[in-house]
Amino acid sequence: MSELNNIENIIALSSDLRWQIGDDFHDNLAEGIYADASEIVENVVSTKGEKKSNRLDSKIDQIVTSRIWGFPIMFLLLGLILWLTIIGANYPSSMLANGLLDIVHPFLKSVAASIGMPWWLDGFLLDGVYLAVAWVIAVMLPPMAIFFPLFTLLEDFGYLPRVAFNLDYLFKKSGAHGKQALTMSMGFGCNAAGVVATRIIDSPRERLIAIITNNFSLCNGRWPTQILIATIFIGAVVPKSLSGIASVGAVIAIAILGIFFMFASSWALSKTVLKGEVSTFNLELPPYRPPRFWKTIYTSLIDRTMIVLWRAVIFAAPAGAIIWLISNIFIGDVSIAAWLIEAFDGFGFLLGLNGVILLAYVVAIPANEIVIPTILMLTVLVTGVVGGAGAGVMFELDSVNATGDILRAGGWTLLTAINLMLFSLLHNPCSTTIYTIYKETKSVKWTVVATVMPVIMGFVITFLVAQIWRLVF
Amino acid sequence: MMDTTVKTTCETCPQFNANGLKRLGVNTENMDFVIALAGNPNTGKSTVFNALTGLHQHTGNWPGKTVVRAEGGFEYNDQKYKLVDLPGTYSLLSTSQDEEVARNFILFGKPDVTIIVVDASRLERNLNLVLQILEITDKAVLCLNLMDEAKRNKITIDERALSRELGIPVVPTSARFNKGIPELITTINEVANGTIKCKPHRIKNVPEHINKAVKKLTVEIEKQLPNIPNSRWIAFRLLEGDMHIIKALRNGELV
């Protein structure tokens, strides 16, 4: 009891003293700390000559954060990375596909046959699980293995804070926190990581805006989708010599559109349900550091590429199993998959998409990475373009062209491709991100808003594009 | 000069690394000591963390990369250390979530040693946080990181004088190149085991009228809570009206 009283006495004494010393205590203390710091530094630090690299740093900064050059350089760097990814990924992709689908799969099939495996187990394991995993690896690994290390090199060099600096003005205009530029950049890697990164934003209002709009940053799982579809369909409508540039341009356009939607919805949120003041902050531009090239390549391969690939594989395996099951379990004489696709087809047509794509997005809620493999599997199923044995088996993908052939056989047009790219940008976050949003906000309401808002936007935008397209062409 | 060459040979000697340091990764069971890793954003805390634990925490050249506590472990001389990588902060005086994570851990987690990682080429700015941490804890090591950059900028630092001023050991490192890490480990070991006694710097330039109030309050706090290392810092916080600390004082969390 007396101990408690003593503590209360101390607290009471502190409030008395607080009145006596006045309200500039905080500033006085901060000044005191700075004074101590400068005394210490005076005694121990000496600087010889001109700070050469600082001058170089500020010269680079003058260019990359200038009004005129800031944005073009940003898009140029992103374009360069995407271009290298698109050019570099095609060949290893077809090699992997050759190996995993043309050589290993038939071999496994023959092994299964020789040990007398029942057809349903063989189908479930080899045509469902194995093929889904193999397809994910063939489609996803090469672009990731090129894109991530390049992006990490840029990050290591110190370029990201400059992006934040360039975008700060636009964030303020849209009523959001300038640090959202950093969480947005994180989202370009992974939205779940981007959502966690919003902890650097102190104001709850601005943090919520950053969380809800993070999904508009194209993530790991969606870059390869964009790159692949752009290469097949956008690259094909221009002369061959320009196809690389056209596909890069299309992917950048989608990324910029995402940034635009992020600003637009940040603005809309801050003008309606999340009104409030914009807080200011100091952004430190770190020095440029020459990246440690090989170490960066190594760790980004281990950390990012392999982890993301592993996640894709984990989700692809059960998805493959489900796809095989729904295409081999029949109700009457129609398989469940065919039945679902038919059910989704009408709505899909309105959106300029199709039933296969919508079903694929349902199956792929756990991970965006498996959207394309799922679409391919389902397309093969409904179009009857069969490479292996029986329904639900994925077609042999020996090159990007073959993927295009399957999709065209599935009735895809340029409109389908464009709208798929749009829908890939504008749809619900993956289940991991949804769960992370719930953990960070502790609010069902905001989790639902963050989940449903982009899907509705996706429906509206693809619907409008489809209607206008059909009017014009 | 000779000293450094000897160290470099040691660093590259596999015997030294194999016998002295065992990286335990995420395995942090039955630890002898808890070590906190604090510092300004973008000073290479995560790089130091990775160098000590053998983990691959993603590192990046931008402030605010680590927002959650990352934990890992290492073993040295048969003693096990748990290492906690705290979010980078410029100060501990405000209330954003990342600063609170860092402050609460140093205050309530009572780490056996706090490693403060600073950017050698921006020492003055970094000292702001260092001086605040030294008010809270009296077992700390200054990791003077990014020495390579300081050298490139022609900045020289008198490490012994700095160590004298701050009252804690100072270890120069270039964690990106694995330089200075063995010295850091032995220093951590010595502070944890009490071989090195710290006499941390306490903030001096406090205006007289405030100093009087702080002293008055500190005496009362020490009467009530003898043996706590940070009575003066608690006095600072009480004068600031920090509700979090008032609550902790009432709950007895500060003892």
Side-chain angles (χ1 to χ4, degrees):
Chain A
M1 195 62 206
S2 79
E3 188 181 307
L4 199 70
N5 275 336
N6 282 338
I7 298 255
E8 289 307 321
N9 284 341
I10 291 173
I11 293 166
L13 175 66
S14 76
S15 11
D16 284 351
L17 290 168
R18 186 155 63 238
W19 284 108
Q20 285 172 31
I21 58 178
D23 46 350
D24 49 357
F25 169 73
H26 188 98
D27 294 341
N28 275 325
L29 183 61
E31 279 164 23
I33 296 172
Y34 283 121
D36 273 31
S38 78
E39 275 172 23
I40 294 172
V41 165
E42 204 173 314
N43 293 335
V44 300
V45 178
S46 59
T47 313
K48 264 184 243 150
E50 292 268 315
K51 291 186 179 179
K52 249 203 181 146
S53 80
N54 276 4
R55 267 193 326 192
L56 185 63
D57 268 26
S58 61
K59 271 217 181 103
I60 297 177
D61 275 339
Q62 267 171 20
I63 299 167
V64 299
T65 62
S66 77
R67 259 157 206 267
I68 305 165
W69 296 109
F71 281 88
I73 288 176
M74 225 159 72
F75 297 134
L76 212 69
L77 281 172
L78 182 62
L80 184 71
I81 289 182
L82 288 172
W83 185 74
L84 287 171
T85 308
I86 289 174
I87 300 297
N90 198 2
Y91 182 67
S93 238
S94 63
M95 282 222 318
L96 276 172
N98 258 326
L100 293 172
L101 302 170
D102 295 351
I103 300 169
V104 179
H105 182 248
F107 172 75
L108 289 175
K109 282 294 242 190
S110 67
V111 170
S114 69
I115 59 169
M117 201 184 261
W119 72 271
W120 52 269
L121 187 61
D122 160 28
F124 181 82
L125 288 180
L126 297 181
D127 300 337
V129 175
Y130 172 78
L131 277 184
V133 170
W135 214 316
V136 161
I137 293 174
V139 172
M140 303 281 306
L141 179 60
M144 285 196 314
I146 300 174
F147 182 76
F148 291 152
L150 289 175
F151 195 83
T152 314
L153 281 176
L154 208 58
E155 186 185 338
D156 255 23
F157 178 58
Y159 184 66
L160 287 193
R162 275 77 189 181
V163 172
F165 185 87
N166 285 337
L167 293 175
D168 181 50
Y169 172 76
L170 290 172
F171 278 105
K172 278 218 179 97
K173 274 267 162 189
S174 61
H177 199 290
K179 279 191 196 167
Q180 196 177 322
L182 289 173
T183 64
M184 180 194 80
S185 307
M186 261 319 241
F188 282 129
C190 167
N191 294 131
V195 168
V196 175
T198 60
R199 292 183 188 180
I200 58 175
I201 299 172
D202 340 341
S203 127
R205 179 189 78 86
E206 289 159 334
R207 186 166 173 223
L208 212 46
I209 293 178
I211 289 177
I212 294 171
T213 58
N214 194 272
N215 188 42
F216 295 119
S217 297
L218 280 179
C219 68
N220 282 338
R222 294 183 279 170
W223 284 111
T225 306
Q226 300 287 352
I227 293 170
L228 193 70
I229 297 299
T231 314
I232 295 170
F233 286 93
I234 313 288
V237 292
V238 293
K240 205 163 182 343
S241 56
L242 295 175
S243 66
I245 292 172
S247 351
V248 171
V251 177
I252 292 183
I254 293 285
I256 293 175
L257 197 66
I259 297 174
F260 167 78
F261 276 115
M262 190 204 47
F263 280 124
S265 46
S266 297
W267 180 81
L269 286 167
S270 73
K271 286 285 174 274
T272 54
V273 282
L274 289 170
K275 272 188 207 154
E277 291 293 306
V278 176
S279 37
T280 53
F281 73 106
N282 291 322
L283 179 72
E284 188 178 13
L285 293 181
Y288 291 104
R289 292 179 183 141
R292 301 209 51 202
F293 190 79
W294 292 113
K295 197 175 169 188
T296 304
I297 300 277
Y298 171 80
T299 49
S300 82
L301 275 178
I302 299 296
D303 279 5
R304 279 191 167 165
T305 312
M306 282 309 157
I307 285 173
V308 172
L309 184 71
W310 180 237
R311 199 176 94 93
V313 166
I314 298 257
F315 284 113
I322 288 172
I323 295 167
W324 188 85
L325 284 176
I326 61 175
S327 39
N328 280 280
I329 296 175
F330 288 81
I331 301 176
D333 51 1
V334 187
S335 70
I336 297 177
W339 187 81
L340 283 172
I341 288 169
E342 181 138 344
F344 284 138
D345 242 349
F347 186 53
F349 179 78
L350 278 181
L351 304 181
L353 300 168
N354 57 41
V356 171
I357 296 175
L358 292 182
L359 179 59
Y361 267 96
V362 176
V363 175
I365 284 175
N368 281 300
E369 289 86 336
I370 60 171
V371 165
I372 290 292
T374 308
I375 288 174
L376 291 172
M377 276 176 96
L378 289 169
T379 304
V380 168
L381 158 74
V382 280
T383 55
V385 193
V386 175
V393 179
M394 288 196 294
F395 192 73
E396 289 158 7
L397 171 95
D398 52 5
S399 71
V400 168
N401 292 332
T403 311
D405 291 342
I406 299 174
L407 295 177
R408 283 191 199 92
W412 282 48
T413 60
L414 187 56
L415 170 68
T416 325
I418 290 173
N419 272 4
L420 175 68
M421 287 172 78
L422 287 169
F423 194 69
S424 159
L425 174 71
L426 301 168
H427 71 93
N428 55 286
C430 71
S431 55
T432 314
T433 307
I434 297 175
Y435 177 63
T436 312
I437 292 173
Y438 176 71
K439 271 201 310 196
E440 293 295 315
T441 59
K442 302 256 181 353
S443 145
V444 176
K445 182 181 124 197
W446 290 117
T447 311
V448 170
V449 169
T451 309
V452 174
M453 189 184 78
V455 193
I456 293 175
M457 287 171 76
F459 285 159
V460 171
I461 299 288
T462 50
F463 174 78
L464 289 177
V465 170
Q467 301 319 309
I468 293 167
W469 184 281
R470 283 169 187 148
L471 275 179
V472 176
F473 295 98
Chain B
M1 207 57 222
M2 243 183 69
D3 204 75
T4 25
T5 36
V6 173
K7 275 175 195 161
T8 336
T9 343
C10 270
E11 275 168 25
T12 49
C13 164
Q15 202 67 23
F16 177 92
N17 288 321
N19 288 342
L21 174 68
K22 229 187 256 167
R23 291 159 161 176
L24 298 176
V26 287
N27 180 13
T28 56
E29 306 235 310
N30 305 320
M31 290 293 165
D32 297 303
F33 298 111
V34 176
I35 313 292
L37 203 57
N40 277 28
N42 210 37
T43 51
K45 282 179 302 304
S46 300
T47 315
V48 172
F49 178 86
N50 289 345
L52 289 174
T53 58
L55 289 173
H56 297 285
Q57 261 266 82
H58 177 64
T59 59
N61 185 9
W62 56 283
K65 199 211 75 288
T66 309
V67 284
V68 278
R69 268 168 36 190
E71 297 186 359
F74 65 92
E75 189 177 325
Y76 177 76
N77 281 356
D78 290 329
Q79 286 177 316
K80 286 185 175 175
Y81 293 79
K82 175 166 135 179
L83 194 64
V84 181
D85 188 12
L86 299 174
T89 58
Y90 295 103
S91 155
L92 299 175
L93 297 173
S94 90
T95 49
S96 73
Q97 222 179 341
D98 44 348
E99 284 194 18
E100 247 172 37
V101 170
R103 185 192 76 177
N104 288 351
F105 188 79
I106 300 173
L107 190 57
F108 303 122
K110 299 199 175 59
D112 295 292
V113 182
T114 302
I115 308 171
I116 315 170
V117 183
V118 298
D119 178 347
S121 57
R122 288 167 179 69
L123 186 60
E124 181 164 355
R125 201 188 317 162
N126 281 225
L127 280 180
N128 180 37
L129 177 74
V130 176
L131 296 177
Q132 291 180 37
I133 292 176
L134 292 185
E135 288 284 339
I136 303 181
T137 176
D138 55 1
K139 281 181 143 192
V141 174
L142 190 81
C143 170
L144 199 54
N145 196 26
L146 300 170
M147 284 302 283
D148 50 310
E149 252 169 52
K151 204 178 246 172
R152 252 208 332 271
N153 292 335
K154 302 228 168 70
I155 296 171
T156 42
I157 298 173
D158 184 345
E159 292 132 20
R160 291 162 137 236
L162 183 61
S163 171
R164 243 187 348 257
E165 291 275 355
L166 295 176
I168 57 172
V170 171
V171 184
T173 60
S174 298
R176 273 181 2 128
F177 304 93
N178 257 321
K179 281 198 181 130
I181 299 299
E183 291 83 348
L184 183 63
I185 293 168
T186 47
T187 314
I188 295 167
N189 172 281
E190 283 168 320
V191 174
N193 287 300
T195 327
I196 298 180
K197 284 261 184 290
C198 300
K199 263 195 80 188
H201 173 101
R202 294 287 147 106
I203 299 160
K204 282 184 279 190
N205 285 297
V206 184
E208 198 38 48
H209 68 291
I210 290 178
N211 213 12
K212 243 186 218 159
V214 171
K215 267 191 186 142
K216 215 171 182 181
L217 205 50
T218 312
V219 170
E220 290 305 316
I221 295 168
E222 275 172 357
K223 237 186 250 166
Q224 196 53 41
L225 310 165
N227 306 328
I228 60 163
N230 43 26
S231 52
R232 183 159 178 252
W233 187 80
I234 294 170
F236 282 144
R237 296 316 295 161
L238 288 179
L239 288 175
E240 179 99 33
D242 186 332
M243 289 315 289
H244 206 93
I245 296 301
I246 293 178
K247 210 175 120 205
L249 202 57
R250 284 199 175 118
N251 297 341
E253 281 175 84
L254 290 167
V255 189

